[in-house]
Amino acid sequence: MARIVMKFGGTSMAGIERIRNVAARVKREVEAGHQVAVVVSAMAGETDRLVGFCREASSLYDPQEYDVVVSAGEQITSGLLAITLQAMGVPARSWLGWQLPIHTDTAFAKARIGEIDTTALDESLAAGVVAVIPGFQGVADGNRVTTLGRGGSDTSAVAVAAAMKAERCDIYTDVDGVYTTDPRIVPRARKLSKVTYEEMLELASVGAKVLQTRSVGLAMKEQVRVRVLSSFDDARDEDGHRGTLIVGEEEIDDMERQLITGIAHDKNEAKITLTAVPDRPGAVGSIFAPLADAGINVDMIVQNIAHSTGSTDVTFTVPSADLARSLDVLEKGKGEIGYASLVHDTRVAKISVVGVGMRSHAGVASTMFQTLGARGINILAITTSEIKVSVLIEEDYTELAVRVLHTAYGLDAEAA
């Protein structure tokens, strides 16, 4: 007997027929002798609908009441799934965030989980009752409902799995695993049977939308084995595996290890350039400190060689959703920074290659630069980590860049 957490996203819960499909999958695990906790998202589109109501009611809504409203979607699906399981003869009950409880801080709409009290949950699971838990929500001091931010149900599932010491956490989505790149762009992309936590964390942070970044970071910290698989397809790969396992590096042997694991792209980037910034100590700090104070994450940074006039140009990227706030912060700080002009561009995309094999192999970056250069794709900015190289290019070249890099690194699947 094993303890398993099963998490189902919004498309999996979109209507009673799909909820019945979910219940059938849960029943199968129960009949295999496992203790099962299920974490559910709201029905597809429901959270957006509730957010829209809040904005209609007031553009300056109270974040505490906002969380009360938007957490309702998961409450509905958890109750419906419990009812459906009971109708199938499977003992089940729903547990809202405050009933476990899932303790969070008071950062409403983007709360972080502190701890989960599993005492009552353990007793219920031991009695053979399936626990159905709404994702995305918790409870803060004062018994106020909180939510974890968009995509927070993935984080809920991993946190529950860690707290109840589950054997693994299965994340059911509308895709059947993690691919070497987006198969809609590269039809010959390959499904990966295993990916390391570090690789998945990098892929999630640079545009792969399979898992929320916070959930992967938590899984790595707590060493929770995560499996990504489809709610609608039970197909297995040639080795008999379903989905993709996200595990520690020690679980992947050398025969399975690749130089490059995947290629991701992200069009949600905006490029900002400050021209003629004074070339003096503290100038760059005067740019990025106020952005950090405003909670804006800066990614790529390029500082040009100083002009003979004693000034330099500074280029960097921010999430496109933060562009307006970034420009406002920089314009207010123009006097202190001392730049001449402020230029921005949203017609850009970030392309990233990720793989733990980079640690022991040279030439990954040069292959990327030469491949893009051969196709006439200009690189606007570069950033690297130990297992990642990212470049900023013009948005129009996104799909071409992904395709040629996928081929250059030998990631294409063999033709059937």
Side-chain angles (χ1 to χ4, degrees):
M1 178 187 293
R3 281 191 165 187
I4 296 173
V5 173
M6 305 172 71
K7 183 266 174 179
F8 293 90
T11 53
S12 305
M13 304 298 292
I16 295 299
E17 281 308 309
R18 289 195 173 182
I19 290 175
R20 287 197 181 103
N21 174 60
V22 167
R25 292 179 179 278
V26 174
K27 182 178 181 180
R28 190 165 62 198
E29 296 291 355
V30 172
E31 289 176 342
H34 301 312
Q35 293 181 356
V36 181
V38 188
V39 175
V40 295
S41 296
M43 293 184 187
E46 181 65 9
T47 301
D48 288 337
R49 188 178 76 92
L50 296 173
V51 169
F53 285 149
C54 290
R55 290 174 176 164
E56 261 188 78
S58 171
S59 58
L60 299 174
Y61 51 74
D62 178 351
Q64 297 184 51
E65 300 304 339
Y66 168 91
D67 278 1
V68 171
V69 175
V70 299
S71 63
E74 282 75 12
Q75 179 171 327
I76 292 167
T77 49
S78 60
L80 288 173
L81 179 56
I83 290 171
T84 306
L85 285 166
Q86 291 168 3
M88 291 182 173
V90 178
R93 67 151 290 184
S94 62
W95 293 86
L96 302 187
W98 60 268
Q99 291 174 317
L100 279 175
I102 299 173
H103 295 287
T104 74
D105 60 19
T106 55
F108 294 94
K110 53 183 177 182
R112 301 189 78 84
I113 295 173
E115 63 177 1
I116 301 176
D117 185 344
T118 63
T119 304
L121 178 62
D122 289 339
E123 292 175 359
S124 183
L125 290 172
V129 180
V130 172
V132 185
I133 302 166
F136 181 55
Q137 66 170 243
V139 60
D141 291 344
N143 289 327
R144 294 302 310 236
V145 172
T146 57
T147 62
L148 310 182
R150 298 310 295 263
S153 291
D154 285 350
T155 301
S156 298
V158 172
V160 168
M164 59 184 269
K165 297 179 173 55
E167 179 177 296
R168 69 173 188 270
C169 177
D170 288 344
I171 307 286
Y172 287 83
T173 71
D174 52 0
V175 296
D176 61 348
V178 179
Y179 279 74
T180 48
T181 195
D182 188 339
R184 292 170 298 183
I185 295 177
V186 183
R188 291 177 68 181
R190 291 186 289 109
K191 184 172 74 68
L192 301 163
S193 59
K194 290 181 181 178
V195 179
T196 69
Y197 294 122
E198 288 179 277
E199 289 170 326
M200 194 66 238
L201 190 59
E202 290 283 16
L203 287 168
S205 69
V206 294
K209 297 176 174 61
V210 178
L211 288 174
Q212 187 207 41
T213 306
R214 275 173 63 188
S215 70
V216 182
L218 181 61
M220 182 166 66
K221 174 177 175 287
E222 300 293 339
Q223 292 295 290
V224 175
R225 300 171 82 249
V226 176
R227 184 170 62 159
V228 178
L229 64 171
S230 172
S231 296
F232 312 107
D233 184 0
D234 289 330
R236 298 177 183 270
D237 60 26
E238 58 188 19
D239 296 320
H241 300 130
R242 289 183 60 216
T244 300
L245 267 175
I246 301 164
V247 293
E249 197 170 338
E250 67 282 354
E251 286 200 45
I252 301 179
D253 62 40
D254 291 337
M255 293 294 290
E256 296 175 296
R257 198 178 305 281
Q258 300 181 126
L259 173 61
I260 298 299
T261 296
I263 298 172
H265 69 282
D266 188 358
K267 295 183 179 180
N268 298 312
E269 296 278 322
K271 177 168 71 81
I272 297 174
T273 299
L274 303 181
T275 66
V277 176
D279 185 27
R280 54 174 171 75
V284 173
S286 66
I287 296 171
F288 297 115
L291 291 172
D293 291 342
I296 297 167
N297 291 323
V298 174
D299 186 9
M300 300 177 168
I301 302 174
V302 177
Q303 182 173 353
N304 295 334
I305 297 172
H307 304 305
S308 57
T309 56
S311 63
T312 183
D313 297 339
V314 178
T315 298
F316 56 93
T317 62
V318 298
S320 54
D322 290 333
L323 176 60
R325 286 198 303 135
S326 300
L327 297 177
D328 181 59
V329 167
L330 294 168
E331 286 166 0
K332 288 178 179 176
K334 183 175 183 179
E336 181 181 352
I337 300 168
Y339 62 84
S341 64
L342 178 60
V343 182
H344 66 275
D345 185 3
T346 57
R347 300 183 306 277
V348 295
K350 180 168 65 177
I351 309 296
S352 304
V353 296
V354 175
V356 292
M358 290 186 196
R359 291 185 180 134
S360 54
H361 291 79
V364 172
S366 64
T367 297
M368 187 180 199
F369 303 154
Q370 290 172 9
T371 301
L372 296 177
R375 292 304 187 106
I377 301 172
N378 190 38
I379 296 173
L380 307 174
I382 303 166
T383 187
T384 66
S385 74
E386 190 179 23
I387 64 168
K388 177 198 72 180
V389 180
S390 296
V391 298
L392 194 71
I393 64 172
E394 294 177 28
E395 185 181 49
D396 292 344
Y397 291 103
T398 302
E399 294 191 5
L400 174 61
V402 170
R403 286 196 296 269
V404 298
L405 289 172
H406 198 267
T407 299
Y409 288 111
L411 297 176
D412 291 347
E414 295 182 6

